[in-house]
Amino acid sequence: MDIKKAQEILEKYNKDVFHLQHAKVVSGVMRYFAKECDLGREEFWAAVGLLHDIDFGEYPDEHCVKGEELLRENGASDELIRSAMSHGWGMTGTPHEPTHIMEKILYATDELTGLIGAVALMRPSKSVQDLELKSVKKKFKDKKFAAGCSRDVIEQGAAMLDWDIDELIEKTIAAMRTLDL
């Protein structure tokens, strides 16, 4: 599925500016990591990132379960469906455990992009361009800050990738710096 078709499907089910922006950020981060891992398929990785929360706006109580249905109805491949829905493993009713490097990166960075974005908004620049690891780490430890971003999932994702938390945060900041937001 190309990115234009993925965008059309996303917008069919999501109208909220926050959800659309989150999808764009995760998509860009996934594209960055596809290049970094030198695995090719940047467009596919970006589409997975764009569509990972397809159901969250209209069906938050059925997240990742309804998403599978919506993606199937819209002609998504089994690979795309499995990859996009794997980010909810252990938190939703999805049976898809992240196994591929792409799925592990999505799992690890979905929540982390929200935390990094929240930290960036607290800065005078409101940007990730001058954001440092220590600022994110400080807020990561503060469970009340961006409380909706699961630190447990972020830590589990880093472990899945065999990265320490600093490496995951640094790489995700670097990915977010490449985005045109």
Side-chain angles (χ1 to χ4, degrees), residues 12-13 66-76 81:
K12 182 176 177 180
Y13 300 101
K66 189 69 172 179
E68 186 165 341
E69 178 185 325
L70 297 175
L71 289 172
R72 195 166 310 289
E73 288 173 5
N74 284 278
I81 293 167

Side-chain angles (χ1 to χ4, degrees), residues 1 7 11 13 15-16 31 34 41 43 47 49 63 82 87 95 109 112 116 120 132 148 153 155-156 163 167 174:
M1 176 176 300
Q7 185 71 39
E11 291 174 0
Y13 300 101
K15 307 298 182 218
D16 181 77
R31 183 181 296 277
R41 302 188 73 201
E43 185 100 345
H63 184 41
R82 181 200 159 30
H87 83 280
T109 61
L112 183 55
I116 291 170
E132 296 179 10
V153 168
E155 289 172 336
Q156 288 171 353
W163 297 347
E167 183 178 10

Side-chain angles (χ1 to χ4, degrees), residues 115-157:
L115 179 70
I116 291 170
V119 175
L121 288 175
M122 300 292 294
R123 304 181 61 73
S125 68
K126 308 245 185 273
S127 172
V128 295
Q129 298 304 324
D130 59 351
L131 185 62
E132 296 179 10
L133 170 65
K134 65 181 180 178
S135 298
V136 177
K137 287 283 297 245
K138 181 178 179 183
K139 294 298 187 181
F140 183 87
K141 293 175 187 172
D142 179 358
K143 305 290 188 211
K144 292 179 184 174
F145 180 81
C149 298
S150 172
R151 275 67 166 173
D152 290 340
V153 168
I154 296 167
E155 289 172 336
Q156 288 171 353

Side-chain angles (χ1 to χ4, degrees), residues 22-34 37 45 48-50 52-53 83 86-88 91 98 101-117 136 140 149-161 163-165 167-176 179:
H22 173 67
K24 183 179 177 183
V25 169
V26 174
S27 177
V29 166
M30 293 303 292
R31 183 181 296 277
Y32 172 89
F33 277 107
C37 294
W45 283 46
V48 167
L50 199 61
H52 79 284
D53 278 345
S83 297
S86 70
H87 83 280
M91 299 173 286
I101 182 85
M102 175 188 53
E103 296 166 351
K104 293 174 183 180
I105 289 171
L106 177 62
Y107 183 84
T109 61
D110 177 33
E111 297 286 318
L112 183 55
T113 58
L115 179 70
I116 291 170
V136 177
F140 183 87
C149 298
S150 172
R151 275 67 166 173
D152 290 340
V153 168
I154 296 167
E155 289 172 336
Q156 288 171 353
M160 284 180 188
L161 292 162
W163 297 347
D164 64 35
I165 196 71
E167 183 178 10
L168 175 62
I169 294 170
E170 286 176 329
K171 288 180 177 195
T172 306
I173 291 170
M176 291 176 73
L179 305 180

